[in-house]
């Protein structure tokens, strides 16, 4: 069996209340949407794999764990051991609430679309698999955004939101890596891994959240197989 379900979530460290107490109330709706997406992953024999962006593409070995010390809260620890997880996978581990995924895949932010699609196809070939896909949208959604305002950012995030909300694999596969990099959209490569893993099957899709808190596009979605 191939991919059976997926949850898509963003990975701002501020999602963790102890890391950014001042933002806890502002991000409560986002946090709840992420929790609902993760809770919607099937409690079956499917292997749970967390996918997120990093500087290089590589599989990480268990045990998975780390702390938010780099973001000012070393006391906030997830998992076991200190694997030095990249932020995307660290937040993913936090969202899992202590559950250990079967595998973790870091995808290079510069990985070409074809490479991402191939990674996803290979990942699903070893199924059954459920994915937790971590990725932020454009980080240029306002003058106070990390990358300042780019007028193309809102349309980019809107297109991704439509794609995630309708399981439009062709649109996800066609995301422009150059534009995504210019908009500081960290989710492009992981979303294209999802598209590669989901290919060839019909999907139920629900967009649970789409907003641009703090000038960054945050998108949450749930996918489940029709068959």
């Amino acid at each position: 069996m191939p991919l059976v379900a997926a949850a898509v979530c963003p990975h701002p460290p501020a999602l963790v209340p102890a890391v950014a107490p001042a933002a806890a109330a502002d991000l409560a709706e986002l946090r709840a949407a992420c929790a609902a997406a993760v809770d919607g992953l099937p409690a079956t024999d499917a292997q749970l794999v967390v996918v997120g962006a990093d500087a290089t593409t590589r599989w990480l070995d268990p045990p998975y764990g780390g702390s938010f010390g780099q973001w000012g809260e070393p006391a906030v620890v997830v998992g076991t051991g200190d694997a030095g997880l990249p932020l995307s996978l660290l937040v993913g581990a936090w969202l899992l609430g202590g559950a250990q995924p079967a595998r973790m895949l870091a995808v290079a932010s510069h990985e070409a679309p074809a490479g991402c699609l191939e990674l996803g196809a290979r990942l699903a070939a070893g199924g059954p698999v459920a994915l937790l896909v971590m990725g932020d949208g454009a980080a240029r959604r306002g003058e106070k955004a990390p990358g300042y305002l780019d007028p193309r950012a809102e349309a980019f995030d809107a297109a991704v939101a439509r794609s995630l909300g309708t399981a439009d694999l062709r649109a996800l596969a066609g995301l422009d890596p150059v534009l995504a990099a210019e908009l500081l959209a960290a989710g492009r490569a992981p979303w294209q891994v999802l598209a590669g893993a989901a290919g060839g099957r019909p999907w139920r899709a629900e967009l649970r959240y789409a907003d641009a808190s703090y000038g960054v596009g945050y998108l949450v979605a749930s996918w489940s197989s029709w068959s």
Side-chain angles (χ1 to χ4, degrees):
M1 289 180 64
L3 180 69
V4 297
V8 179
C9 296
H11 53 74
L15 197 62
V16 181
V19 172
D26 292 342
L27 297 179
E29 185 180 353
L30 171 60
R31 197 177 304 111
C34 291
V38 171
D39 287 346
L41 291 172
T44 66
D45 292 334
Q47 287 193 335
L48 177 59
V49 179
V50 184
V51 180
D54 194 23
T56 59
T57 296
R58 66 199 190 282
W59 286 99
L60 282 75
D61 297 320
Y64 305 110
S67 83
F68 285 86
Q70 185 177 344
W71 294 274
E73 282 296 332
V76 181
V77 177
V78 297
T80 58
D82 186 4
L85 295 176
L87 176 62
S88 60
L89 300 182
L90 183 65
V91 175
W94 180 81
L95 286 173
L96 290 175
Q100 283 281 305
R103 304 186 79 183
M104 281 191 163
L105 173 62
V107 185
S109 298
H110 60 269
E111 188 76 51
C116 295
L117 296 172
E118 183 180 355
L119 277 169
R122 290 208 313 264
L123 190 161
V129 174
L131 294 184
L132 173 55
V133 181
M134 306 300 297
D136 294 349
R140 305 191 68 176
R141 291 284 300 273
E143 293 182 356
K144 295 184 179 180
Y148 194 66
L149 175 65
D150 188 307
R152 303 170 295 174
E154 185 172 357
F156 176 89
D157 282 348
V160 175
R162 286 193 299 271
S163 301
L164 292 175
T166 59
D168 188 336
L169 305 185
R170 184 187 297 269
L172 288 176
L175 290 174
D176 182 352
V178 175
L179 175 60
E182 291 174 351
L183 297 177
L184 308 179
R188 191 275 306 172
W191 297 329
Q192 289 182 323
V193 171
L194 169 61
R201 305 189 72 190
W203 295 92
R204 299 183 185 93
E206 178 185 358
L207 183 68
R208 295 182 177 272
Y209 185 94
D211 204 352
S213 303
Y214 306 107
V216 181
Y218 296 143
L219 305 165
V220 181
S222 294
W223 291 14
S224 58
S225 175
W226 283 101
S227 56

